[in-house]
Amino acid sequence: MTMSHGSFPGGTSGLSDASSLVGSGVLALDELSQVYENDDDSNLLDFLDETNGSSVRSNSASGGGSVLEKQSLDMDRIAKKTYLVAFLVVLVGALASASFLYLGISNANGDQKALFERRAAEMKKEIVNSWHDYELATLWIHESCRNWRTDNMTRMDFRVLYQYLIYDQELEFFAAEWIPNATHAERAAMEQRASQEWPAYQPGFNYTGFKGLQPNPDKQEGAPPLTVQHRSEQPWYFPMHFMEPVKNLGGKGHLDLFTVPNLKPAILQALSTMKPALTAPFILVHETEAYGNSVVLFHPGPFIPQDLTPNVQHRDLSNMVVKVRDLLTRASRNQGESLAAHLYDITSEDKPPMVMGGIEIRIGQNASSSAQDKTDVKDLSFPQVPLDQLDRSSKLFFEADIAVASRTWKIAILPVDDSYQPDLTFIVISGSMIFLASLLLAIWMLHNLRKSIKMQRIITTAAAEASIVSSLFPEKVRERLIQDATAAKAKRTQPLSKAQAFLNNGSDKNSSDKNPFRPSDQLTSEGLFGSKPIAELHPYTTVVFMDMVGFTAWSSVREASQVFTLLEILYNSFDNIAKRRRVFKVETVGDCYVAVSGVPEPRKNHAVVIARFANDCIKRMHQLSRALETTLGPDTADLALRVGIHSGQVTAGVLRGDKGRFQLFGDTVNMAARMESTGAQNKIHCSAYTAELISEAGFEKWIVPREEKINIKGKGRLQTYFVRIISGSKASKASVSAPTQTPGARDTTDREDAKTTRLVNWNLEVLSKLLRRVLARRHAMNKPRSKASSFSTSETSLQGCALETVQEIIALPGFSEAAISQQVDPDSIVLDDVVVDQLQGLITKISAMYRNNSFHSFEHASHVLMSVDKMMTRILAPKEIVSKKAEVGCDLQRVEAELHTATFGLTSEPMIQFACAYAALIHDLDHQGVPNSTLVTENDPLAVKYNNKSVAERNSLDLAWDLFHEPEYKDLLNCICGDAEEYQRFRHLVVNSVMATDIMDKELGAARKNRWNKAFSEEKESEEEDQMAVNRKATIVIEHLIQASDISHTMQHWHVYVKWNERLFHELYRAYKTGRIEKDPSEGWYQGELGFFDFYIIPLAKKLFTCGVFGVSSDEFLNYARTNRAEWEQKGEALVEQYLMNYKHKFGDDVRVHDDCEQSHEQAERLPVSNGVDC
């Protein structure tokens, strides 16, 4: 399309003209909306400049200046009125919001104060009522024992009464006693009777007659003034005749309470007034608690006038020893809100209040309950606070005096937390919303004013320069395709018209010239497709190539579904950014994303647009890669973008034919691809021409020259640049800041913690998925669940017996028709929240138990688990069984049985999959970063404990197994193991799997080799029963599966292998530098890896292929093992030297570099090592 830049006559003005322009497609709505939403006036001027707005303004000034001037005055008046109204709206909103907040907070505080006073009054009432319960119980004791002399009441009768009060009436007290007023004449008989009753009533009780507190004959300094002695003869006594519980008697039967100084006044008062009398608070001799104040209540029985019973002396007493704590606890039974109550004895006016005790009631929720069954938990504490130390400054304070028996108590009640603080959230939010609504209304008014002003300017310009604006929108490619399709259809109908004419006229002149199927037409586009090529030269464009760094290695260790999940999420996000930036997406080739600006619509600032687009994609990639690590596994967060851009002309069009699509051609495309391939991760690499365009656009501060020139194929050595986006719309306005495409410097520990958290979440996802399969299988089998308590203690411990627990054949369940007929979709299983929480807590604790090793770490354990999960998902049946299953009307039960046998039961028993994954997670727990041989040489305590056999593996098992059985994971244990049989199977699977990772123990290795030969020997297979043969194969295949997963990096992409190989080297070299290993590992590392490939890795990969159940994984492992071996043979020596250099850079230690490897140094510098940007 030809773009004209001549002068145009002044256009019309008004909304009607603008509407006609927009409706006809001349003025694009998205262009208008972009300008409306931009608050930067300079961008509006840029937009007008791009549409030749300068000529418009000059023409308008000469031809229609009066109209524009009048419109400007009108808009000024409207603006002033709008500003005034907006200010009034905000002012009224602020006043309304403040009034609402004041009234709401005041009312809320008043309501809470009234609520507290009600609760305090209820607490006071409960204390009074509780004390009345004790008085009534003491009276009950008195009336039950009143006629003890004549009724021949026994101590057992008194015990029954005591138990009734304790269990039926639910009274808590220290002791209940019957205190008769015995005369001296009755003493002998009472002592004789007691000496006969006590041995039978309380065996072992040493009764020695009446006792009392009498002056101590020992006059030495420090001796107590009174001691318990045999009671001297007196006219009468008040002995403890009956008392419960006996254990509180302290071996003092018939102790005369009248001799106890702090009890005597209360006894006399009770006898003189014939009313209950109470002692002052005191601490019992038996009391062991700090809050142990008690009181004694003496009750003389109901008041009976003396004239009614002139010959009866009412002098017998009952008493009850009550702890203040028990009284307060009883009073708090019905208290449902948090508060504190304190009791003080204020009977004596000449003495300060005596602290009796206090109680703090805190109401919370039971954290161990499920979300649906949350219950309130009452937490009680008993502080001792003097009255003058209570906080009386709060408005929430309640105190009252109560008369209790013969004394006066003071109750002080106050809150202990914010239970009585009003919840002002709704009030504050509502008040804020009132103000916010007024503020938003004002902002809307101002925004509308601003939009109106801008719209008026745009409409005026658009009306005058309609033809200029229309030139910005070239003909759409899709419109051309529609036109071509319409023309082709019309052309196909043309021969029919000629045939009809021939039938009608008898001839068809020039028919041979019109034949569309001549061979010569196949050499032209018109002959092939019926129209000219859909192609156009675009001279001003910028092309971007974005490639994912590390994607090839990352994808090599994952399932195809996971690879496409990543690509779909990332590319969809990039597509959205492209739409927002009006960038045209060309195509995606593998992990490379290609886009262009300036095609199909020309853009003046195409280089700046592409730079912003690439910057947005880098930031979005950084966010998504970390978020996806939870579901896609380790190393996902390490993925990054490498971006290259170049500007120039391109040929763009539709390459018609089979699966035709819009494509770009030209040197600009090739150069952009070279910029990407020679760039760096998380950076935008551009050519000199693109850097010049960005600088000319006013963003010269974005351009950072690359330190060294690079060699471009076909171009030679060129100076290139990195684009570093700086905040701000123009470079002149921007403040210099860090590059936005990189996350910035963060503390290493924070990064590691964040990575560990992502790994924990990913492990949780994997294990939860496998656990749902276990539950689905159990549900299909209708198996009841037991509890962990049903497992014996000997079963729940592995300490020192892991070797003995290794099974030659693990007993696995056979084929079950019920499980097939009643299959349950595992995705429909919902795990209990408590199980998920415990599983997450277990994984988190396991991650914390891994040491900070380079190789034997939680990250490596997660990598092993990922390999186990991948191999389990690739277990396949033989092709003939799959074909049978696909047949219509096949016997599904029989086919499933054959499948079970062909895969050794690995596909039909989810417990195997979960146990192997769990074993992978724990197999290196607490690894010290040195081989077992080092632990043995050092005589490490672990080596001594495990008799120098499989030290690290057995230690990991013991720690993980004990952790698994801690009480906090009991629900998880019950969920995994439904019964004792499943528990034993899980135990054997985990032990066999972890012990299989000890590949250096010769005895274990020989035993495994023997088991493999037995399992896959045709003679042995024919001798054993079918199920035993299947179990034997399953057992040895599981062990080899975990072995392959443990060193899976050696059978994965070269970059993955180098990454973990270097980490293992660093770990062992660190041990060498710290003196734990005698030999320098760098001296034999190259040859050692070759031997490891030849004698362990490749034979192991062949075994995986031989067992025939891992599908394409076995071929993949074997191919990668051979490829990596060949590449190591070529590059290994140089890589070892590079490992040493990297170790020095990372740890700062001096390392020895071999003198004869200068050439290897140069070679290693060109190798993509694990911590480089090109992986």
Side-chain angles (χ1 to χ4, degrees), residues 139 142-143 146 270-276 299-309 314:
L139 175 60
H142 188 281
E143 292 307 295
R146 173 187 291 275
L271 294 175
S272 63
T273 62
M274 291 304 294
K275 293 181 180 180
H299 206 299
F303 177 74
I304 302 176
Q306 190 67 34
D307 57 347
L308 296 179
T309 56
H314 304 286

Side-chain angles (χ1 to χ4, degrees), residues 35 74 81 109 161 224 234 306 329 338 379 442 510 513 550 1135 1174:
V35 178
D74 291 339
K81 291 181 180 179
N109 285 328
L161 175 61
Q234 301 291 333
Q306 190 67 34
T329 302
S338 302
D379 183 22
N510 301 325
D513 297 334
L1135 275 175
D1174 293 328

Side-chain angles (χ1 to χ4, degrees), residues 29 70 129 165 250 329 333 535 664 789 865 1055 1107:
L29 286 173
K70 182 178 182 298
N129 291 339
L165 295 176
T329 302
R333 290 180 303 174
L664 304 180
S789 57
L865 190 150
H1055 293 310
C1107 68

Side-chain angles (χ1 to χ4, degrees), residues 250-269:
K252 302 177 183 61
H254 279 161
L255 175 66
D256 188 357
L257 298 186
F258 199 74
T259 63
V260 181
N262 62 324
L263 303 184
K264 183 176 180 179
I267 295 175
L268 292 175
Q269 187 175 11

Side-chain angles (χ1 to χ4, degrees), residues 135-154:
E135 282 191 2
L136 182 60
T138 310
L139 175 60
W140 199 339
I141 294 172
H142 188 281
E143 292 307 295
S144 299
C145 300
R146 173 187 291 275
N147 299 321
W148 68 281
R149 293 179 177 88
T150 59
D151 294 345
N152 199 26
M153 184 175 182
T154 66

Side-chain angles (χ1 to χ4, degrees), residues 223-272:
L226 298 175
T227 58
V228 178
Q229 303 175 34
H230 187 73
R231 185 70 170 110
S232 61
E233 294 184 359
Q234 301 291 333
W236 44 264
Y237 314 87
F238 284 92
M240 294 187 299
H241 188 60
F242 297 141
M243 177 181 176
E244 287 293 338
V246 177
K247 64 183 179 65
N248 293 338
L249 189 59
K252 302 177 183 61
H254 279 161
L255 175 66
D256 188 357
L257 298 186
F258 199 74
T259 63
V260 181
N262 62 324
L263 303 184
K264 183 176 180 179
I267 295 175
L268 292 175
Q269 187 175 11
L271 294 175
S272 63

Side-chain angles (χ1 to χ4, degrees), residues 339-355:
L339 53 76
H342 300 272
L343 281 180
Y344 304 91
D345 192 325
I346 59 173
T347 305
S348 300
E349 296 180 356
D350 57 342
K351 294 182 180 180
M354 300 176 60
V355 179

